[in-house]
Amino acid sequence: MNKRQASQRPTLRTIAQMSGLAVTTVSRALADDPHIAQDTREKVRKLADEVGYAPDRAAQRLRTGKTNVISLILNPHDEILGFGTSIIRGITAALRGTPYHLVVMPDFADSEPMEQVSRIVRNHLADGVIFSRTEPDDARIRYLLEMGFPFISHGRSELATPHPFVDYDNYAFARQATERLIAAGSVRPAILLPPRRFTFANHQLHGFMSAVREHGVAHEILTDITLDSPGEQIEARLLARLGLPGAPDGLVCAGEVSGLAAIAAAVDSGLVPGRDFHIVVKQTSTLFSHVRPRVASIYEDLTEAGEHMGHFILRRIAGEPAEALQFLQVPPDPAETPGDTTTRAPF
Amino acid sequence: MNKRQASQRPTLRTIAQMSGLAVTTVSRALADDPHIAQDTREKVRKLADEVGYAPDRAAQRLRTGKTNVISLILNPHDEILGFGTSIIRGITAALRGTPYHLVVMPDFADSEPMEQVSRIVRNHLADGVIFSRTEPDDARIRYLLEMGFPFISHGRSELATPHPFVDYDNYAFARQATERLIAAGSVRPAILLPPRRFTFANHQLHGFMSAVREHGVAHEILTDITLDSPGEQIEARLLARLGLPGAPDGLVCAGEVSGLAAIAAAVDSGLVPGRDFHIVVKQTSTLFSHVRPRVASIYEDLTEAGEHMGHFILRRIAGEPAEALQFLQVPPDPAETPGDTTTRAPF
DNA sequence: CCCCCAATTTGTAACGTTACAAATACGGTC
DNA sequence: GACCGTATTTGTAACGTTACAAATTGGGGG
């Protein structure tokens, strides 16, 4: 069915025959090689436009060994609330005007996280890879470092060898969030953590612990559920917990769906969010600006993170050392918006 | 015996030299060609696994003209709430066990919708393409039909030539949603439509009009905003509208973020959702199960849609006619869950 | 008028794979 | 022992591109 298209597709040879030039000359003319006469370049370019020539990516790849592709491995947990959208927007912006294109590869839990990465390297599907959900001893990072394959992780590992990354300061986030809870009157704040295997789970835990210790309040680390748990499960678990003695009166919750679930659990327990039960969420989309009652939030700018990662991966491919390609995003300083309980996103 | 090859990526030649077989034989052995002796096939396969051989996709593409890639063009509006995730999950499931891989190409509004599609065709980046946000006279569909390039659209066009699609019955959705509003006591239902250029905007409009006419109630079609408008804008517009005389007392709203915005506007107007103001949303994720007060919803199973699209695109590539590859998803029948105001998702 | 240099252009080979035609080996038949 | 058929393997070419080396021009200087 695409035979017609195949026979029609112009190649360098087509242009060479039409112009009477050699294939090589056409190739170099289109590459704007200064060794080729100016008017030859123009003539070839015009001819190419006329016939709608587009280089065959597969052939270019085979010959040059470059794919001109940056691969983003996206986990459904990430994507659920605009993580994907925002980060993709940022990377796309960074890649604009370069020959590179972004390709998103979905990674569902049933396949090992390594599998996607090693497939990309082994089958040569991209020149660089970006991924998230980094672990302290991350197998993907170890592998990629060993293979010398360019990558940027969203999140840090704790490996000895330095590697490029873009991360959000989840320690500062959790610390600030907890302090806001305490300032609002919480005397027994709790935190809902990401799965413990991720580096940023520890960061959040430490930020939380640092704040509760400093203020000498009781605290609770929610068990059995994580930010990745299904919303229903989070809601049910919280509902159960709030009905028992010594229940928390505040929650730090770095996810939007889980934030909604927490509000639902509080409401269903007869508590009034903002009065009996305080919540601080991490905001990565505009979603929470529509939630009533209003809930305090701290913003994480994923588009900015994506832009950094896009620029970093290009520089990494160009050979820059890992040490120069590390960036830690800090949450917006609440002191700068003193009259507001919510750190607003600049939408 | 192997020299500098050791550090390089292994190719067919590597295995050929190691085994003493010809490159062709190795190629065919790995393809499980029955012309090759069974034990040769096994030996080659074992050797390939040992050296970690993976075929070079670029070379395969160049030689065979097949990319083994299905491209999904994803618009940020789609992705905002799990559209991407769900549909990707479905397509991935459909492609499992085939040589095809899904590649997601983000499409931001600043580039023409056509641009991505024509790049995929011209540069031969995929064997088939899936996209959404279909228009009655859709330029992408016209182009792809003309080029004979396999595609599946999410949504129908109104072109004369039949084409493969998977669609959700938005007429039935809007009709049912409106009837639920009326049954709940709404005497002046309103609807927030998608941008009018999309086919499914008309479908929803007709479903809505059909229901309000049949029941002889007043109605309102919200202007100035669409389901694609920023949440803030939707909230502000609704808030303004609810303060004026003759305000609607119900809303059909086929989006989750906009549904939240509508609830916020109602609450901020002093209305009690579910009593003074009725809302029916389209539910594509678990999000709304956490929203309080609870809101009626009708489910659209995007994972199922994705699975259909995945199977369809493979069959289309295999040459099946368009007429055999058309599927209309119907919303779950409310009669089947009589005691419930909400059509629940099977999560 | 020849030689040489710079400016252009050209030819050849190769990237890794597979389609196709051809070659080889091995029994079994007559 | 020559012949044939089947099973298996091999060699050659090509997909479209670019790197590299070589060839071809056109002047300008001697």
Side-chain angles (χ1 to χ4, degrees), chain B residues 112-130:
Chain B
E112 283 290 307
M114 260 303 284
E115 200 183 287
Q116 287 275 25
V117 167
S118 74
R119 225 190 76 224
I120 289 170
V121 174
R122 288 197 333 260
N123 288 27
H124 208 322
L125 301 180
D127 296 335
V129 61
I130 299 174

Side-chain angles (χ1 to χ4, degrees), chain B:
Chain B
M1 278 300 190
N2 34 4
K3 314 160 190 176
R4 39 204 130 80
Q5 292 274 353
S7 61
Q8 295 289 353
R9 243 169 71 84
T11 70
L12 290 179
R13 247 187 92 202
T14 318
I15 301 177
Q17 283 169 344
M18 292 199 313
S19 63
L21 292 164
V23 172
T24 303
T25 311
V26 176
S27 169
R28 297 176 59 185
L30 288 172
D32 232 23
D33 186 324
H35 291 267
I36 301 295
Q38 184 62 40
D39 67 325
T40 304
R41 279 186 259 170
E42 278 160 16
K43 217 159 47 187
V44 167
R45 159 64 45 211
K46 206 174 132 215
L47 216 46
D49 289 345
E50 265 170 32
V51 300
Y53 169 77
D56 185 317
R57 283 303 247 278
Q60 286 183 317
R61 286 188 193 188
L62 179 58
R63 180 59 239 226
T64 63
K66 291 219 57 148
T67 65
N68 281 343
V69 164
I70 303 297
S71 182
L72 170 68
I73 300 178
L74 216 47
N75 184 284
H77 281 293
D78 287 337
E79 211 188 344
I80 197 68
L81 252 171
F83 180 97
T85 306
S86 309
I87 230 159
I88 288 171
R89 187 190 307 273
I91 300 176
T92 305
L95 263 39
R96 186 152 300 147
T98 78
Y100 286 90
H101 288 287
L102 176 68
V103 156
V104 182
M105 309 214 147
D107 170 39
F108 287 98
D110 47 2
S111 69
E112 283 290 307
M114 260 303 284
E115 200 183 287
Q116 287 275 25
V117 167
S118 74
R119 225 190 76 224
I120 289 170
V121 174
R122 288 197 333 260
N123 288 27
H124 208 322
L125 301 180
D127 296 335
V129 61
I130 299 174
F131 55 89
S132 60
R133 302 170 77 76
T134 306
E135 306 180 12
D137 179 28
D138 197 293
R140 299 166 299 179
I141 295 183
R142 276 205 318 258
Y143 173 76
L144 289 166
L145 283 174
E146 193 188 333
M147 301 302 278
F149 195 90
F151 71 94
I152 309 290
S153 61
H154 189 235
R156 286 162 281 177
S157 77
E158 287 165 7
L159 296 168
T161 318
H163 65 84
F165 66 80
V166 171
D167 201 1
Y168 178 78
D169 191 341
N170 278 284
Y171 174 90
F173 160 79
R175 203 171 190 295
Q176 269 188 37
T178 312
E179 280 177 339
R180 285 224 225 153
L181 285 183
I182 295 170
S186 175
V187 296
R188 193 183 165 83
I191 188 167
L192 175 57
L193 288 170
R196 295 298 282 271
R197 67 177 178 284
F198 300 128
T199 314
F200 77 117
N202 270 321
H203 294 161
Q204 289 192 9
L205 176 59
H206 291 143
F208 176 72
M209 291 308 295
S210 155
V212 296
R213 287 223 180 92
E214 190 172 301
H215 291 83
V217 297
H219 70 276
E220 177 165 344
I221 292 147
L222 291 173
T223 53
D224 306 332
I225 49 174
T226 72
L227 287 171
D228 282 358
S229 303
E232 286 76 11
Q233 213 167 302
I234 295 175
E235 189 177 321
R237 177 77 180 81
L238 279 174
L239 193 59
R241 182 64 193 92
L242 292 176
L244 295 177
D249 60 357
L251 180 68
V252 175
C253 175
E256 284 171 314
V257 170
S258 40
L260 270 184
I263 295 173
V267 169
D268 291 355
S269 301
L271 301 171
V272 176
R275 197 191 67 192
D276 316 317
F277 191 75
H278 305 280
I279 302 181
V280 178
V281 300
K282 186 194 275 185
Q283 183 188 351
T284 57
S285 73
T286 58
L287 183 75
F288 254 84
S289 61
H290 305 303
V291 171
R292 300 290 180 276
R294 288 182 193 276
V295 159
S297 66
I298 295 176
Y299 181 56
E300 174 175 357
D301 189 341
L302 288 168
T303 301
E304 188 198 54
E307 274 198 67
H308 274 102
M309 294 195 286
H311 287 125
F312 277 13
I313 192 70
L314 294 181
R315 288 166 58 187
R316 183 61 177 158
I317 290 171
E320 276 195 46
E323 288 84 350
L325 305 171
Q326 303 181 329
F327 180 70
L328 189 63
Q329 266 184 312
V330 292
D333 188 346
E336 287 174 11
T337 56
D340 197 351
T341 61
T342 290
T343 308
R344 288 217 170 273
F347 289 113

Side-chain angles (χ1 to χ4, degrees), chain A residues 19-332:
Chain A
S19 63
L21 291 163
V23 173
T24 304
T25 312
V26 175
S27 169
R28 298 176 60 184
L30 288 173
D32 232 22
D33 186 325
H35 291 267
I36 302 294
Q38 184 62 41
D39 67 326
T40 304
R41 277 185 261 170
E42 278 161 15
K43 218 160 44 188
V44 168
R45 157 66 40 213
K46 206 174 133 217
L47 216 46
D49 288 345
E50 265 169 32
V51 301
Y53 169 78
D56 185 315
R57 284 303 247 276
Q60 286 184 317
R61 285 186 193 188
L62 179 59
R63 180 60 240 222
T64 63
K66 291 220 59 153
T67 65
N68 280 344
V69 164
I70 302 298
S71 182
L72 171 67
I73 300 178
L74 216 47
N75 184 284
H77 282 293
D78 288 338
E79 209 187 343
I80 197 68
L81 253 170
F83 180 98
T85 306
S86 309
I87 230 160
I88 288 170
R89 187 191 307 273
I91 300 176
T92 305
L95 262 40
R96 186 151 301 148
T98 78
Y100 286 90
H101 288 287
L102 177 67
V103 157
V104 182
M105 309 214 145
D107 170 37
F108 288 98
D110 49 359
S111 68
E112 283 290 308
M114 260 303 283
E115 200 183 285
Q116 287 275 26
V117 167
S118 72
R119 226 191 76 224
I120 290 170
V121 174
R122 288 196 334 258
N123 289 28
H124 208 323
L125 301 180
D127 296 336
V129 61
I130 299 175
F131 56 89
S132 60
R133 302 169 77 75
T134 306
E135 305 179 13
D137 179 27
D138 198 294
R140 300 167 298 179
I141 295 183
R142 275 204 319 257
Y143 173 76
L144 289 165
L145 282 173
E146 195 188 334
M147 303 299 279
F149 195 89
F151 70 94
I152 309 289
S153 62
H154 189 234
R156 286 162 281 177
S157 78
E158 287 165 7
L159 297 168
T161 318
H163 65 84
F165 66 80
V166 171
D167 201 1
Y168 178 77
D169 191 342
N170 278 283
Y171 174 90
F173 160 80
R175 204 173 190 295
Q176 269 188 36
T178 311
E179 280 177 338
R180 285 223 226 152
L181 285 183
I182 294 169
S186 174
V187 296
R188 192 183 165 82
I191 188 167
L192 175 57
L193 289 170
R196 295 298 282 271
R197 67 177 178 283
F198 300 128
T199 314
F200 76 117
N202 270 321
H203 294 161
Q204 289 193 9
L205 176 59
H206 291 144
F208 176 72
M209 290 310 293
S210 154
V212 296
R213 287 222 180 92
E214 189 173 300
H215 291 83
V217 296
H219 70 276
E220 177 165 343
I221 292 146
L222 291 172
T223 53
D224 306 331
I225 49 175
T226 72
L227 287 170
D228 282 358
S229 303
E232 285 76 11
Q233 213 166 303
I234 294 175
E235 190 176 321
R237 178 76 179 82
L238 279 173
L239 192 59
R241 182 65 193 90
L242 292 175
L244 294 177
D249 60 356
L251 180 68
V252 175
C253 174
E256 284 171 314
V257 170
S258 40
L260 270 184
I263 295 173
V267 169
D268 291 354
S269 301
L271 301 171
V272 177
R275 196 192 67 191
D276 316 316
F277 192 76
H278 306 280
I279 302 181
V280 178
V281 300
K282 186 194 275 184
Q283 184 188 352
T284 57
S285 74
T286 58
L287 183 75
F288 255 85
S289 61
H290 305 304
V291 171
R292 300 290 179 277
R294 290 182 191 277
V295 159
S297 65
I298 295 177
Y299 181 57
E300 174 175 356
D301 189 339
L302 288 168
T303 302
E304 187 199 55
E307 274 198 67
H308 275 102
M309 294 194 286
H311 287 126
F312 277 14
I313 192 70
L314 295 181
R315 289 166 58 189
R316 182 63 177 156
I317 290 171
E320 276 195 45
E323 289 83 350
L325 304 172
Q326 303 180 328
F327 180 70
L328 189 62
Q329 266 184 311
V330 292

